[in-house]
Amino acid sequence: MGFAEEHEKWLSRHKRRRTGERLDRLERGHGHGEKLFAERVWWPLFGDFTHLHPEYEVSDWRGRPYFIDYVWKPGQVKFAIEIKGYGPHVQNTDRTRYRQELNRETYLQIAGYRVVAVPYDDLESAPELTISLCKTLLFPCLLQKSADRLSKYTKVEREILQIAACSNGIIRPVDLVNGLAADPKTIKRYINQLCEKGRLKPVPGPSGSRIRKYEYIHNMLDNDLW
């Protein structure tokens, strides 16, 4: 599935788990800037929304509830991601509100969060910069994600994906039989496994005839597979 479908599924899952103010905040708070970050930065980096929580509720140093645009918790580390727009509410912020905002960010770090501020304007005009900065910051976690991905594929499956990636996105079983010097039944079994993992997709022939080729489903982190 593409971004729109996965984003909707992910958001719906979180809505089903929430009630009251937490649900209302998700429906009100997950606005244009947050969606832009999800589409232009997070999706190109990860290709999924695993461990990412929108409008995540925490308590500030006074014990009052506070909602963070995104919290990512892939393991022991926690990231608090805030989309910062330069609108009237920022331009007209008084000293008290400004001081509270700084104290809130400091408290989040005391609570174990790594705070990431993302300029809204960059999401509009230069998402590549934000992608680069986030990738550098999250690099240790990306390495772990890559290791987890590697464990999902056998050596033969990785070889098949590499051949498919170099074949304009379309691969035929006969190409794999010849390229890997493998038995056709063995190749068929691996193709079926990759279809189940969502990495290959059967391409029907004319009038629904026998399937003789498969479409390669690309992922942004595929360079880690070989």
Side-chain angles (χ1 to χ4, degrees):
M1 291 187 180
F3 166 77
E5 295 85 355
E6 287 297 329
H7 178 264
E8 182 60 32
K9 285 173 56 181
W10 166 73
L11 205 57
S12 296
R13 283 198 301 271
H14 282 278
K15 287 181 179 180
R16 288 195 298 269
R17 298 171 185 168
R18 302 190 185 189
T19 58
E21 174 60 20
R22 295 177 69 242
L23 174 59
D24 184 58
R25 179 56 188 243
L26 178 56
E27 293 177 337
R28 290 186 295 106
H30 192 72
H32 179 68
E34 290 75 17
K35 292 176 183 175
L36 213 57
F37 174 81
E39 181 177 9
R40 297 189 176 181
V41 176
W42 198 265
W43 184 257
L45 269 178
F46 289 94
D48 61 46
F49 299 104
T50 305
H51 306 306
L52 186 66
H53 304 268
E55 296 300 322
Y56 190 85
E57 183 180 11
V58 298
S59 296
D60 65 15
W61 72 97
R62 300 162 298 184
R64 298 178 181 177
Y66 170 70
F67 290 88
I68 305 170
D69 292 337
Y70 289 107
V71 163
W72 186 49
K73 299 193 296 181
Q76 298 299 318
V77 66
K78 299 182 293 185
F79 289 88
I81 303 170
E82 293 274 32
I83 315 303
K84 301 286 189 177
Y86 190 72
H89 67 288
V90 173
Q91 300 170 31
N92 299 328
T93 295
D94 57 28
R95 287 180 175 270
T96 298
R97 291 179 61 187
Y98 180 68
R99 186 177 70 248
Q100 289 175 348
E101 179 67 19
L102 295 180
N103 287 336
R104 183 181 292 117
E105 290 188 2
T106 301
Y107 184 78
L108 283 174
Q109 296 186 63
I110 293 172
Y113 291 89
R114 296 190 64 179
V115 180
V116 182
V118 177
Y120 169 81
D121 288 351
D122 281 350
L123 297 178
E124 286 276 14
S125 60
E128 298 82 7
L129 173 61
T130 304
I131 288 175
S132 177
L133 293 174
C134 285
K135 186 172 184 179
T136 302
L137 179 63
L138 305 177
F139 186 68
C141 295
L142 287 173
L143 284 179
Q144 181 58 51
K145 184 178 178 69
S146 297
D148 292 342
R149 285 167 53 78
L150 282 171
S151 66
K152 296 179 181 179
Y153 302 97
T154 67
K155 180 177 182 295
V156 175
E157 286 175 336
R158 293 198 297 271
E159 290 176 344
I160 291 175
L161 289 176
Q162 186 176 19
I163 292 173
C166 298
S167 303
N168 296 321
I170 296 293
I171 193 71
R172 301 180 303 166
V174 65
D175 298 327
L176 298 175
V177 170
N178 296 331
L180 300 176
D183 179 76
K185 291 183 179 179
T186 300
I187 291 298
K188 179 62 175 177
R189 183 174 74 253
Y190 281 115
I191 286 177
N192 289 337
Q193 291 173 185
L194 288 170
C195 286
E196 292 175 359
K197 294 177 180 180
R199 301 314 315 278
L200 293 178
K201 179 181 178 182
V203 179
S207 303
S209 61
R210 181 181 176 183
I211 294 173
R212 289 187 171 85
K213 54 187 178 181
Y214 294 80
E215 178 185 357
Y216 164 64
I217 308 302
H218 178 70
N219 188 290
M220 290 295 292
L221 296 177
D222 275 349
N223 286 340
D224 301 319
L225 291 173
W226 37 80

